Amino acid sequence: MTHKPHRRETIVRLIREHGFMPVEALARELGVTPQTVRRDIGSLCHAGLLRRYHGGAALGEAAQNGGLPLQKSLRPNGTSPLAERIAAQIPDGASLFVGIGATMEAAAAALAQSRSSLRIITNNIHVAALLSGRSDYTVIITSGVVRPADGGITGVATVDFINQFKADYAILGAAVAEDDGSLLDYDYKEVCVMRAMMANARTRCLAIGCGTPDRTALVRMGSVTEFDCVFAACPPAAPVAAMLADAGIPCHIAGQ
């Protein structure tokens, strides 16, 4: 069974992708009982993230406004054990690329609470908003086209912008880590931006969640072995863990 915060994030993501999902379909996708899904939907409706309909749910107003409300609703104080583990590995005074997604936004919140004098280049308007209040930070937001769904900035102009910089770290997330180490995501333009960040970072950090791989993630981002360190919400699948160990890539598990 998936952890509750990750499960609820997955419910919102699936409903965002499909517009509406029946309770039974969500239960099959998540490998939990319909009763568990109904409880999760009830909590998400109370937070304004979903609207309940007979037999299922659709997006609520808060989730339609992008990733930041979801992050704040599902993670107390805007952070998580995974985000705090990521922030702990970033030294004061570092420069870093920060990508798109609720995990990246939680990591930004954790950085703001624990690190000083950072220089951040991001294609995530929510990350920029979170960090711009720190007077000792330099926050650079990329050019490109803003996606209304999550505040992510993508496109050819974004890639060109990122290629003008060299940063100490890139903090990126992947939607799916398959058993052969392949990393997949949903949006080709977003993946192109992440690949540019990887190419222009001295140390590449990957954040991965847990749960059932999503077959709608079709775009190849790369392999887990292209990263210098991995942060996981729960222990990765045995083949992935073995691959990381063989390559000497540290894998930091949230909460451990």
Side-chain angles (χ1 to χ4, degrees):
M1 181 181 294
T2 55
H3 298 293
K4 185 187 294 184
H6 176 74
R7 189 176 66 240
R8 292 181 177 177
E9 288 183 18
T10 302
I11 288 171
V12 176
R13 175 176 56 76
L14 288 170
I15 291 174
R16 178 179 283 125
E17 291 167 8
H18 295 277
F20 171 87
M21 284 200 72
V23 169
E24 297 293 338
L26 287 168
R28 287 194 301 271
E29 185 75 28
L30 295 165
V32 298
T33 65
Q35 290 77 11
T36 297
V37 170
R38 291 189 185 97
R39 284 194 296 270
D40 286 340
I41 287 174
S43 297
L44 292 166
C45 287
H46 181 72
L49 295 166
L50 297 182
R51 289 177 291 170
R52 190 193 301 273
Y53 293 91
H54 179 69
L59 283 185
E61 183 177 355
Q64 290 171 349
N65 289 334
L68 189 60
L70 173 60
Q71 167 207 319
K72 287 185 174 179
S73 296
L74 297 182
R75 297 186 173 98
N77 302 319
T79 64
S80 68
L82 179 61
E84 290 161 3
R85 197 69 191 265
I86 294 169
Q89 299 298 313
I90 305 298
D92 293 339
S95 59
L96 55 154
F97 296 114
V98 180
I100 299 171
T103 299
M104 300 302 100
E105 292 156 25
L111 287 167
Q113 294 172 15
S114 61
R115 293 292 175 263
S116 62
S117 303
L118 297 180
R119 291 157 291 154
I120 298 98
I121 303 152
T122 183
N123 65 326
N124 186 328
I125 62 174
H126 299 310
V127 166
L130 276 166
L131 299 179
S132 60
R134 287 286 301 259
S135 60
D136 59 329
Y137 283 15
T138 299
V139 180
I140 302 170
I141 193 162
T142 68
S143 57
V145 179
V146 179
R147 296 191 311 209
D150 60 4
I153 304 172
T154 62
V156 174
T158 315
V159 173
D160 290 344
F161 188 94
I162 288 165
N163 284 333
Q164 298 178 65
F165 296 88
K166 187 77 173 182
D168 296 325
Y169 295 87
I171 305 175
L172 304 169
V176 173
E178 297 210 319
D179 285 353
D180 65 355
S182 296
L183 301 173
L184 304 176
D185 216 286
Y186 305 102
D187 187 314
Y188 174 76
K189 290 184 288 186
E190 179 180 350
V191 168
C192 289
V193 173
M194 290 193 285
R195 293 292 306 176
M197 289 180 172
M198 291 167 63
N200 290 288
R202 298 179 180 92
T203 301
R204 296 170 295 277
C205 303
L206 172 69
I208 54 176
C210 39
T212 305
D214 186 349
R215 299 302 180 187
T216 65
L218 301 176
V219 185
R220 183 181 294 274
M221 175 182 167
S223 169
V224 292
T225 56
E226 294 181 66
F227 286 81
D228 300 292
C229 56
V230 173
F231 299 89
C234 55
V240 175
M243 191 177 302
L244 293 172
D246 290 344
I249 299 169
C251 183
H252 306 278
I253 310 300
Q256 292 185 6

